[in-house]
Amino acid sequence: MKHRLFLALAIVVLVPLAIAFGVRSTPSAPTPAPSMEISTATSLRSLAQKRGISIGAAVELEPFYNDANYRQVLAREFNTLVPENAFKFQFLHPNPDRYDFSHVDRLVEFAKAHNMQVRGSPLVWHYAQPDWLNQGKFTREELLGILQTHIQTVVGRYRGQVFAWDVVNEALNRDGSLRDTIWLRHIGPEYIDLAFRWAHQADPNARLFYSDYGNDELGRKANAMYTMVSGLLQRGVPIDGVGMQTHKRLGYAPRLNLLSENIGRLEKLGLEVQFTELDITIQDGTGSREERLMKQAQTYRSLLQTCLAFKNCTAFITWGFTDRYTWLGSLTGQLEAPLLFDESYRPKPAYNAIEDVLSSHSGK
Ligand code: G3I
């Protein structure tokens, strides 16, 4: 009897008090802003899952650490994340004998907790390299050693945790010639083959990509890339696909027929295609801001439709996801509104277009 009385007292008095004063057994989750109320069931990731495509976004560290809304939308909407900068040589390998994995580790941990895939980018690039590398006077043998150790240390550490790597990034000039980098200058063009082989040794199950910009529609660069990847395949180099970054301005999106032809011929080679760094800025478009946002949505829509029309197009990844944080803003100081969510995390017409395409039944 006494027990029952105590139980009744607890329910009637203590529970409301606990609620009123915020007493909970686990720390409270961040409160979503009203503008972010999108049912998880119809999130992009749940739709993309059904279509068998990775839908992803690049993640910048500052908001990842400091903005709970950012983390929440990221985990709710996307099944794939790409560290926007944390994998770069400059940050990951700041001294010859020191690596800093702390940030990538946090992102990988977050991805695991939210059942997301991690895409790694880039292993070899001409940019974002540390001074010790840029300014060092190395022999060919030393540079081969540096590159092999870097690739195998990084890929080896995240073996089984990073599903795809941009092994070599932006190795081609606009005219299709090989870009002049320390790797080309001191090692020779075979640095590309070697990078793929080393990455494959370190994680035989990871998907390995060559990534570039300006390679999405047929043209000189796409043709040079096609020749390059055909050569890699002929030599038995382990490459699985091609990344098309696709940073675009309104009105300059790839022409769909030329994009389709390009994806189609890569498919015939047995290669995957992933859109890896999509963003579409609106500042150059004509018409009102609303009209430009609608045109932007139309561009996102047609790119995703094109991707879904091909079995080998396996990922649709934007370079960030909210206009609040985009590399473009810091570059030009203008709000170019290139992404799917506005600065307050409200879905834009571009988001609705992608949701709509993923919900429709055509393709794949
Ligand atoms: O975090 C450091 C900070 O510690 C330092 O004090 C400060 C001073 O310069 O720099 C900060 O790093 C900046 C970093 O972004 C993080 O915000 C770098 O300077 C800046 O160069 C870097 O820019 C990135 C750029 O690549 C160069 O690595 C952009 O965020 C990133 O969006 C952009 O991404 C590239 C892809 O990797 C490859 N394709 C093109 C794409 C756009 O340029």
Side-chain angles (χ1 to χ4, degrees):
M1 185 65 186
K2 260 188 194 166
H3 282 113
R4 281 209 193 129
L5 260 177
F6 180 77
L7 197 66
L9 188 75
I11 291 167
V12 174
V13 180
L14 297 180
V15 171
L17 270 179
I19 291 169
F21 290 100
V23 181
R24 293 188 188 120
S25 54
T26 49
S28 59
T31 316
S35 60
M36 297 189 332
E37 278 175 14
I38 303 166
S39 146
T40 317
T42 56
S43 67
L44 299 184
R45 66 179 289 176
S46 68
L47 296 169
Q49 208 74 24
K50 292 183 200 140
R51 306 298 295 259
I53 188 170
S54 300
I55 186 105
V59 179
E60 193 41 300
L61 291 177
E62 199 276 325
F64 175 74
Y65 288 138
N66 301 315
D67 183 342
N69 286 337
Y70 182 89
R71 293 192 297 275
Q72 204 207 16
V73 177
L74 173 68
R76 188 186 65 211
E77 297 292 340
F78 301 97
N79 60 24
T80 302
L81 70 79
V82 190
E84 184 166 337
N85 286 298
F87 264 129
K88 291 176 183 170
F89 210 127
Q90 166 191 19
F91 297 112
L92 207 56
H93 195 166
N95 299 106
D97 301 319
R98 191 172 75 82
Y99 290 81
D100 178 1
F101 294 115
S102 57
H103 300 300
V104 178
D105 284 353
R106 292 285 299 274
L107 291 167
V108 168
E109 203 179 290
F110 179 88
K112 249 187 231 158
H114 297 283
N115 197 20
M116 302 169 84
Q117 296 177 298
V118 177
R119 204 175 183 287
S121 183
L123 288 169
V124 189
W125 197 22
H126 62 281
Y127 201 73
Q129 298 188 147
D131 288 346
W132 68 263
L133 182 58
N134 285 335
Q135 286 157 24
K137 302 263 176 280
F138 299 108
T139 64
R140 180 174 192 274
E141 287 315 307
E142 285 169 334
L143 268 180
L144 280 167
I146 288 169
L147 191 57
Q148 178 172 11
T149 307
H150 178 82
I151 290 175
Q152 296 199 323
T153 304
V154 175
V155 176
R157 180 180 178 91
Y158 297 105
R159 185 181 169 122
Q161 301 177 80
V162 168
F163 86 108
W165 286 100
D166 286 334
V167 178
V168 178
N169 193 37
E170 302 175 8
L172 293 169
N173 290 312
R174 200 176 286 272
D175 68 2
S177 58
L178 279 179
R179 187 192 287 274
D180 179 28
T181 68
I182 62 165
W183 311 113
L184 180 71
R185 220 174 305 138
H186 299 290
I187 297 177
E190 59 270 37
Y191 84 87
I192 298 175
D193 293 33
L194 290 168
F196 277 93
R197 292 191 194 281
W198 289 328
H200 183 66
Q201 282 164 15
D203 186 352
N205 293 321
R207 319 285 299 160
L208 305 183
F209 286 76
Y210 171 75
S211 165
D212 215 323
Y213 58 85
N215 59 348
D216 36 40
E217 63 172 42
L218 289 188
R220 281 178 94 174
K221 195 163 179 177
N223 292 344
M225 181 182 74
Y226 182 81
T227 306
M228 185 180 85
V229 297
S230 302
L232 293 174
L233 290 169
Q234 276 157 21
R235 294 191 292 279
V237 174
I239 178 171
D240 297 289
V242 158
M244 296 179 174
Q245 295 182 8
T246 321
H247 295 285
K248 295 291 172 182
R249 292 184 287 156
L250 216 51
Y252 295 87
R255 284 162 288 182
L256 299 179
N257 56 335
L258 300 180
L259 174 64
S260 296
E261 263 192 69
N262 197 15
I263 299 177
R265 72 177 179 178
L266 291 163
E267 183 169 48
K268 289 198 186 107
L269 286 182
L271 291 175
E272 280 177 54
V273 169
Q274 300 196 334
F275 285 94
T276 50
E277 303 188 10
L278 266 161
D279 48 23
I280 299 160
T281 64
I282 63 162
Q283 83 279 15
D284 292 328
T286 53
S288 68
R289 184 178 167 80
E290 281 62 38
E291 285 166 341
R292 283 181 281 149
L293 289 174
M294 294 312 287
K295 285 185 199 156
Q296 177 188 54
Q298 181 52 39
T299 308
Y300 271 111
R301 172 188 295 274
S302 57
L303 289 174
L304 180 57
Q305 279 170 334
T306 306
C307 176
L308 288 174
F310 289 91
K311 281 215 161 47
N312 66 325
C313 186
T314 52
F316 198 78
I317 296 170
T318 49
W319 208 233
F321 55 93
T322 162
D323 292 341
R324 194 181 188 92
Y325 308 107
T326 146
W327 68 288
L328 289 156
S330 55
L331 210 69
T332 61
Q334 292 178 30
L335 177 60
E336 312 199 31
L339 296 164
L340 306 185
F341 289 86
D342 73 8
E343 288 178 277
S344 307
Y345 296 102
R346 283 183 297 248
K348 292 165 58 183
Y351 174 97
N352 299 330
I354 289 188
E355 184 182 39
D356 189 36
V357 176
L358 289 174
S359 314
S360 78
H361 293 289
S362 57
K364 271 208 182 99

